[in-house]
Amino acid sequence: MQKNELERFSTLNNLCVLHKIIDLRKQISEWKSEGLSVGLVPTMGGLHNGHGSLIKLASKKCDRVIVSIFINPTQFGDDEDFETYPQTQKSDITLISEAGGDAAFIPNVSEMYPRGFSTKVSVIGLTNMLCGASRPGHFDGVTQVVAKLLNQVSADMAFFGEKDWQQLTIIKRLVRDLDIPTKIVNVATVRDEFGLALSSRNSYLNSSQLEIARKLSSVLQMTAYNIASGGYSSVECAQAMKILLNSGFDKIDYIECRDSHSLEPIERTTEDECRIFAAAYIDNVRLIDNHIVV
Ligand code: PAF
């Protein structure tokens, strides 16, 4: 969509659209000077009802909600889908406004990474396992852009989905370690009627691939149940991999049981909370999900 068309469409939807950090800061300080609290929902666009639930919760907890839309190039590997990532600005604007958002921040790449940009932001340890093991540098890109967004917005709260549990855990560590005064709020994963976690990348799947994708959640749930009932996670996860491969998944990146907070591997449950984490491919579409073990 052209910038002017986007502006007109947003005005019709009662949504303020900002592209520059300076305008973003002006808007935020206006709100703050009126004593209003601000919530941030960072996204890469391609919005669905999962994002809708982040925005709805943000608008319940905060007086004003700003949704950022930025397909962050630094979190994509060379062979990943940066070029083809879903861009659905018109429906994004409608969803933000219907879910109770007040503004969208849509910067371009040079606004976020001006010429000469040379600062890295890395959380050590939590980032080299699970998705980090097969997507080297991915979480450095995430923490880099999230640190920038949190600084730009100075929100009271920022909202992240539990589907990306590892990302959520890393961002909580980042905020704690760097004393960023924004409260990070988890929002439960939104699923379709068959349990599939909503994701912008689901739009890459055709109808038969969707059928296969829907097996992921039920297999993880069953695995979580078996581990909670005393099973060894290495055995149960190996069994889950077999079932998913037989169900039509092309490749399993990992299925692992880990502590929900430290992300350390867990073989048998204790009283500490743990989760089953998975990443699996249908063709070249990479899906992730996680389930609590209770
Ligand atoms: O989860 C996402 O959509 C992205 O990783 C985030 C947090 C918006 C950073 O680009």
Side-chain angles (χ1 to χ4, degrees), residues 42-44 72 75 142 145-146 160 167:
T43 82
M44 297 203 296
N72 174 37
Q75 69 187 78
V142 171
V145 79
V146 170
F160 294 87
Q167 169 174 281

Side-chain angles (χ1 to χ4, degrees), residues 41-45 51 68-72 75-76 85 138-139 141-143 145-146 149 159-161 164 167 171 200:
V41 180
T43 82
M44 297 203 296
H51 297 107
S68 62
I69 299 180
F70 179 62
I71 306 178
N72 174 37
Q75 69 187 78
F76 288 81
Y85 198 81
H138 164 66
F139 287 119
V142 171
T143 47
V145 79
V146 170
L149 288 165
F159 297 78
F160 294 87
D164 299 293
Q167 169 174 281
I171 289 167
S200 309

